[in-house]
Amino acid sequence: MATLRTFGPEREAEPAKEARVVGSELVDTYTVYIIQVTDGSHEWTVKHRYSDFHDLHEKLVAERKIDKNLLPPKKIIGKNSRSLVEKREKDLEVYLQKLLAAFPGVTPRVLAHFLHFHFYEINGITAALAEELFEKGEQLLGAGEVFAIGPLQLYAVTEQLQQGKPTCASGDAKTDLGHILDFTCRLKYLKVSGTEGPFGTSNIQEQLLPFDLSIFKSLHQVEISHCDAKHIRGLVASKPTLATLSVRFSATSMKEVLVPEASEFDEWEPEGTALEGPVTAVIPTWQALTTLDLSHNSISEIDESVKLIPKIEFLDLSHNGLLVVDNLQHLYNLVHLDLSYNKLSSLEGLHTKLGNIKTLNLAGNLLESLSGLHKLYSLVNLDLRDNRIEQMEEVRSIGSLPCLEHVSLLNNPLSIIPDYRTKVLAQFGERASEVCLDDTVTTEKELDTVEVLKAIQKAKEVKSKLSNPEKRGGEDSRLSAAPCIRPSSSPPTVAPASASLPQPILSNQGILGDE
């Protein structure tokens, strides 16, 4: 694995680049030579046939006046014989080493492309990116499109800025670093996607590279995937403008993303709160952020960093390792919450943390009881599929919720009970016709069966009271003695006019839905 160069003013001198011909292979009727290029700790391989070397040489002779006889000559007879190939491997290696030695500063463009510097080497990567933005940058900004970039490209730009070199060392105005900085200052929609494993033909672990996002000044939407959140700097510089953020396959905690500077302080509080006790830092909030997707990470708790996202409306924490629901009482504007495919086993006291929630996804957890859901009076959509709910009595906890319209209980043990649908719908009483169960609209036949079940249940209750007169008498006397007081936790008498919700921008497929 390639070791990482680190941020900071103390930097080692750039190591000399090397190119070695490490082997060859026969493709159809010609030989391809395998070149290993080394740039510090980074290595990659390039494959070229002899005719590619010849074309390179012709261009360098014309552009840079190098010695015509530097390249080994062509051979017509026996060109693929083992002895000739082995000799040519050595001669071509010497040729490449002489070229690199002849241009120790700025590598000629044609040679840089030949050795794939535009894919793997810092100067080559930034030059290629600058030229692309010189030609297409204004068009991309004008169209308002999402701009996709890799961690290796961002790492290269970060390194270039750290080096303090001229922004156009090559002398070609198209490759000036200023084109990148001008573009990033104005870009609104950014996507950073790393790769799993080595990048391309190199030993570069792209997902582990450090990079700085503070060069972006106007971001409204960011999607990051397959990067190490601990190595991302400068994201907090977008707090004033960023409305939508997705960080997936990258983080081990919420703090890494929302308050990376927290590790530097013993105690911190969000800006605008009343300070109690010793506080070593006051952290600005993400004042524009309304949508946050932290799904598909290795997050084990909802930590106190949520205090910094008070305006969040849509929060996706699915596919993590959460054991409990905590700290969400700070999110007064939260209406959509996805906690699916975690390790939740209890929902006790959930209503104290999710007062205004309308859409709640709890699929794929370890839930056996629904008792913590009975006071979520604003809830419209509830997904409970793929849990461990066995008893029909558990459904009574959600049967009295006044706004609930969509419920999913598929792949729970109770879903294999005979007449499962009608027994579930019966728990909703008079609202059974308003509930869509498991994405299937309730039929008239099911409603008729529900009415029969309700009548049977009522008859059982009457019979039970008649067979136990002492109990009935005791209950009657207690009811007559107790004043009629509405508890403070009673559901509101007026339900929201519409239970349908706008879908969040983010889903398990990310902002763009292209994965």
Side-chain angles (χ1 to χ4, degrees):
M1 180 189 299
T3 57
L4 299 181
R5 298 171 182 174
T6 58
F7 295 124
E10 297 182 6
R11 309 177 58 83
E12 297 179 0
E14 279 193 62
K17 298 174 178 63
E18 297 181 357
R20 298 174 54 236
V21 179
V22 295
S24 59
E25 57 189 30
L26 190 63
V27 178
D28 295 330
T29 59
Y30 58 86
T31 300
V32 171
Y33 296 92
I34 303 170
I35 307 162
Q36 180 176 290
V37 185
T38 302
D39 178 22
S41 60
H42 294 171
E43 296 179 351
W44 62 91
T45 57
V46 184
K47 294 181 180 181
H48 285 296
R49 56 192 297 184
Y50 178 83
S51 61
D52 297 331
F53 280 89
H54 184 267
D55 292 343
L56 167 68
H57 187 64
E58 290 289 309
K59 292 176 182 177
L60 287 174
V61 169
E63 296 174 9
R64 295 304 181 99
K65 311 303 180 186
I66 66 168
D67 184 358
K68 290 182 179 181
N69 300 317
L70 198 59
L71 181 69
K74 285 186 178 182
K75 296 285 185 181
I76 304 300
I77 301 174
K79 62 180 181 179
N80 291 327
S81 67
R82 190 63 237 165
S83 59
L84 174 64
V85 168
E86 289 177 356
K87 183 180 186 305
R88 183 171 276 177
E89 287 176 8
K90 295 176 182 178
D91 292 341
L92 291 176
E93 180 174 318
V94 171
Y95 173 73
L96 290 173
Q97 292 289 18
K98 286 182 178 180
L99 289 180
L100 290 174
F103 305 104
V106 179
T107 306
R109 178 187 179 93
V110 63
L111 177 58
H113 272 256
F114 184 85
L115 295 175
H116 287 185
F117 281 13
H118 56 300
F119 292 140
Y120 304 108
E121 189 265 343
I122 291 171
N123 300 299
I125 292 170
T126 53
L129 180 60
E131 186 168 351
E132 177 188 354
L133 296 178
F134 171 78
E135 295 174 352
K136 301 179 181 178
E138 290 298 328
Q139 178 184 344
L140 291 171
L141 292 171
E145 297 178 0
V146 175
F147 183 69
I149 192 170
L152 180 53
Q153 290 172 294
L154 287 170
Y155 166 75
V157 174
T158 301
E159 288 285 296
Q160 278 277 59
L161 292 172
Q162 290 283 341
Q163 289 175 4
K165 291 182 176 181
T167 58
C168 188
S170 69
D172 184 350
K174 292 182 180 180
T175 64
D176 194 310
L177 196 62
H179 300 311
I180 298 175
L181 299 180
D182 176 65
F183 179 83
T184 57
C185 279
R186 296 186 286 154
L187 183 69
K188 292 183 178 181
Y189 310 105
L190 174 68
K191 180 179 180 181
V192 185
S193 299
T195 53
E196 295 185 80
F199 177 71
T201 64
S202 74
N203 67 342
I204 302 171
Q205 298 287 338
E206 190 184 35
Q207 72 276 22
L208 300 179
L209 292 174
F211 56 84
D212 194 331
L213 294 175
S214 61
I215 57 174
F216 296 91
K217 309 296 185 184
S218 308
L219 291 175
H220 289 190
Q221 174 180 304
V222 175
E223 180 182 1
I224 298 172
S225 64
H226 294 100
C227 300
D228 189 338
K230 290 188 286 292
H231 291 142
I232 301 173
R233 294 192 179 186
L235 181 59
V236 294
S238 295
K239 281 184 179 181
T241 59
L242 196 62
T244 300
L245 174 62
S246 172
V247 180
R248 304 165 73 233
F249 302 103
S250 303
T252 58
S253 73
M254 297 182 71
K255 283 184 180 179
E256 287 177 358
V257 177
L258 298 175
V259 55
E261 63 268 47
S263 60
E264 302 173 15
F265 307 109
D266 295 329
E267 298 289 339
W268 62 270
E269 286 293 337
E271 189 176 47
T273 58
L275 303 180
E276 298 179 4
V279 175
T280 55
V282 176
I283 308 293
T285 61
W286 296 77
Q287 61 263 43
L289 196 64
T290 58
T291 300
L292 177 61
D293 179 1
L294 293 177
S295 63
H296 295 275
N297 285 297
S298 301
I299 298 171
S300 59
E301 65 172 332
I302 304 173
D303 58 46
E304 59 185 359
S305 64
V306 296
K307 293 179 182 178
L308 295 171
I309 50 173
K311 295 187 179 180
I312 282 293
E313 299 174 9
F314 301 97
L315 178 60
D316 189 346
L317 289 168
S318 63
H319 296 274
N320 278 287
L322 300 176
L323 298 173
V324 296
V325 181
D326 209 358
N327 284 314
L328 294 181
Q329 66 273 17
H330 301 292
L331 306 183
Y332 305 109
N333 298 296
L334 187 63
V335 293
H336 174 103
L337 177 62
D338 193 340
L339 296 173
S340 61
Y341 299 95
N342 278 280
K343 299 178 181 179
L344 302 175
S345 58
S346 173
L347 301 174
E348 289 300 325
L350 195 63
H351 67 282
T352 64
K353 304 179 181 71
L354 300 176
N356 301 314
I357 202 75
K358 291 184 178 180
T359 298
L360 180 59
N361 191 341
L362 293 167
N365 279 284
L366 309 174
L367 300 173
E368 298 179 3
S369 171
L370 303 180
S371 60
L373 301 176
H374 64 292
K375 293 184 179 180
L376 296 180
Y377 299 127
S378 299
L379 195 60
V380 178
N381 308 299
L382 178 61
D383 194 338
L384 292 162
R385 72 189 75 195
D386 297 321
N387 275 285
R388 300 179 178 181
I389 304 164
E390 296 184 15
Q391 303 301 321
M392 193 61 65
E393 287 75 15
E394 294 298 332
V395 183
R396 293 178 185 173
S397 296
I398 60 175
S400 60
L401 295 180
C403 301
L404 194 58
E405 293 183 358
H406 296 87
V407 182
S408 181
L409 288 162
L410 286 173
N411 297 327
N412 280 279
L414 63 72
S415 65
I416 62 172
I417 295 174
D419 299 322
Y420 147 75
R421 282 185 56 82
T422 51
K423 288 178 180 177
V424 168
L425 292 168
Q427 307 303 316
F428 291 88
E430 299 302 320
R431 293 194 63 249
S433 61
E434 303 171 22
V435 175
C436 177
L437 177 61
D438 299 331
D439 301 318
T440 303
V441 177
T442 305
T443 64
E444 288 298 328
K445 182 178 180 181
E446 287 176 330
L447 289 175
D448 292 341
T449 306
V450 167
E451 291 300 319
V452 173
L453 290 175
K454 285 161 58 180
I456 294 172
Q457 181 62 30
K458 191 170 184 179
K460 285 183 179 179
E461 292 173 357
V462 171
K463 183 177 180 181
S464 176
K465 287 184 178 180
L466 292 174
S467 64
N468 195 348
E470 293 183 5
K471 181 178 179 181
R472 180 164 58 93
E475 289 177 350
D476 291 343
S477 62
R478 284 198 301 275
L479 287 171
S480 61
C484 181
I485 301 174
R486 178 184 292 275
S488 60
S489 59
S490 296
T493 55
V494 180
S498 174
S500 61
L501 279 179
Q503 292 300 310
I505 301 173
L506 300 170
S507 67
N508 285 346
Q509 286 74 40
I511 297 172
L512 303 176
D514 58 353
E515 295 187 52

